[in-house]
Amino acid sequence: MPAIALKGSDVQWTCADDDTIMRSALRAGLGYPYECNVGSCGNCRFDLLEGEIEELRPDAPGLSDRDRDRGRRLGCQARPLTDCVVNLRLMPQYESRFPPARREAELIEVRDITHDIREFRFLLEKPVRFLAGQYALLGLPGVTGSRAYSMANVENEAGEWHFQIRRVPNGAATGKLFDGLSIGDRIGVDGPYGTAYLRAESDRDIICLAGGSGLSPMISVTRAAAATPLLARRRIDFIYGGRTARDICGEDILAELPGFGSNIHYHPVVSNADDDGWGGHRGFVHELAGKLFSDRLPECEVYFAGPPLMGQAIQKMLIDLGVPPAQVHFDQFY
Ligand code: FES
């Protein structure tokens, strides 16, 4: 097993032959900065000073040619082939409350949520704890690499991890999940990861903004928030956006929670102006959030997840409204 040493310190950890430098550091309890885990965000860049690595995704967008020429690499995509010496700055906020672990998991139940979102329920061979809003890397048989999907449920003793996933047209991973897996099939699950988890200790009101597969972590955050004694003192607003009325979902799940209709409020919004069958809010998620909550947003904890364009528009709206960054929670997968 290669040893990874941090330059200028006595920090050292081991990395399994099939693991990456970043994930092995997190498993060792170190605060290795990261976000997406799939080579997109660039937050896990490090300087490779000594040793050899294999890049799992050589064309990863998180690394520029300039970075590469300077000897930088992505920790989430770097599999060490030898002992290595690296340079990066560890940060305590990235230390995992529950370090990620790799497990086999069995598909035990599937249910449709919309025409293209389905919930997949897996039972881990051995339970692993996680925080509401975190994600896992799924290793699917016959699919190269792993994919990041967020859990929709909250941690439980049985070790069930549920994922609400939107089918990607021609996507290899969702194609496998939707059409190639049967109840009883086993996959690899690696997690938990992510820093956009519920700040359970904060007594601020909560606003959750979601679209597409972003439903999953926002449902998890709301479920966990609804289970805290703080629910009685705070309000949770949940906006879900879809292109058409048939994309809208989540209300029936939230309606099962204590406080729905009194402390928990659901606001669906449809962006396609031609959808005649829709009598509710129209527009984009960030537009409705700005319209309904512009005065309250700077005082709230804001969680969001969804497609890249939605995420970028929300980020801009929150900056324009002066929402403190410490109250904004999302994992950037683009
Ligand atoms: Fe490695 Fe995002 S590029 S965590």
Side-chain angles (χ1 to χ4, degrees):
M1 257 203 270
I4 314 298
L6 186 61
K7 184 198 166 200
S9 77
D10 52 10
V11 174
Q12 185 165 321
W13 69 96
T14 53
C15 179
D17 292 331
D18 60 349
D19 209 353
T20 70
I21 288 181
M22 183 208 85
R23 291 173 206 153
S24 62
L26 294 173
R27 293 186 218 290
L30 299 170
Y32 192 123
Y34 75 106
E35 203 160 323
C36 72
N37 231 316
V38 292
S40 298
C41 72
N43 282 8
C44 64
R45 278 175 296 193
F46 71 97
D47 295 316
L48 181 62
L49 304 178
E50 290 174 31
E52 279 181 48
I53 60 144
E54 176 195 9
E55 290 182 77
L56 299 181
R57 192 178 166 195
D59 61 344
L63 200 64
S64 66
D65 290 343
R66 197 154 159 247
D67 283 331
R68 192 168 274 113
D69 291 345
R70 287 178 168 178
R72 294 216 169 115
R73 297 291 182 267
L74 294 175
C76 70
Q77 301 301 313
R79 188 175 77 83
L81 302 174
T82 65
D83 291 350
C84 292
V85 178
V86 301
N87 191 26
L88 66 114
R89 195 150 68 93
L90 299 176
M91 299 185 188
Q93 65 266 39
Y94 290 98
E95 287 169 15
S96 305
R97 184 100 47 97
F98 305 122
R102 296 192 279 189
R103 296 278 188 269
E104 273 211 346
E106 179 185 338
L107 182 64
I108 55 169
E109 197 178 333
V110 169
R111 75 180 182 104
D112 283 335
I113 292 184
T114 68
H115 63 104
D116 65 354
I117 295 181
R118 192 172 283 177
E119 180 169 294
F120 299 88
R121 297 186 171 190
F122 289 94
L123 179 65
L124 274 56
E125 58 185 347
K126 192 170 157 213
V128 177
R129 299 188 69 183
F130 67 89
L131 299 167
Q134 289 194 295
Y135 69 87
L137 299 173
L138 304 194
L140 301 162
V143 177
T144 307
S146 52
R147 300 293 192 281
Y149 297 111
S150 300
M151 285 73 87
N153 59 336
V154 296
E155 68 160 325
N156 54 89
E157 284 181 6
E160 284 192 27
W161 289 23
H162 303 171
F163 303 89
Q164 294 164 346
I165 297 173
R166 182 167 180 232
R167 184 196 282 268
V168 176
N170 303 317
T174 58
K176 182 73 189 178
L177 277 162
F178 278 71
D179 303 324
L181 279 190
S182 305
I183 299 298
D185 284 352
R186 300 176 82 80
I187 68 164
V189 172
D190 181 5
Y193 292 101
T195 57
Y197 49 80
L198 174 70
R199 271 42 180 190
E201 67 291 349
S202 167
D203 61 359
R204 296 178 187 279
D205 286 349
I206 290 175
I207 294 184
C208 290
L209 308 173
S213 297
L215 176 73
S216 201
M218 295 301 98
I219 289 285
S220 178
V221 163
T222 308
R223 279 175 162 155
T228 69
L230 286 174
L231 179 67
R233 301 209 301 270
R234 72 178 167 201
R235 178 182 165 114
I236 303 174
D237 285 283
F238 191 114
I239 296 182
Y240 187 81
R243 206 173 66 77
T244 67
R246 70 179 193 142
D247 298 321
I248 294 301
C249 57
E251 183 168 19
D252 57 334
I253 303 170
L254 297 177
E256 293 174 357
L257 300 177
F260 183 77
S262 53
N263 300 59
I264 301 174
H265 303 272
Y266 175 75
H267 315 273
V269 59
V270 161
S271 61
N272 186 346
D274 299 330
D275 191 339
D276 294 335
W278 179 249
H281 295 292
R282 288 184 185 274
F284 293 102
V285 169
H286 70 283
E287 292 172 337
L288 184 61
K291 186 170 143 197
L292 297 180
F293 310 124
S294 60
D295 294 345
R296 293 179 49 225
L297 270 162
E299 305 303 323
C300 295
E301 299 286 344
V302 184
Y303 300 84
F304 67 87
L309 285 178
M310 189 200 93
Q312 287 157 9
I314 290 173
Q315 270 180 282
K316 181 173 182 316
M317 182 262 304
L318 296 175
I319 291 169
D320 290 347
L321 289 175
V323 181
Q327 290 163 223
V328 179
H329 314 287
F330 67 102
D331 283 315
Q332 188 170 313
F333 288 99
Y334 43 87

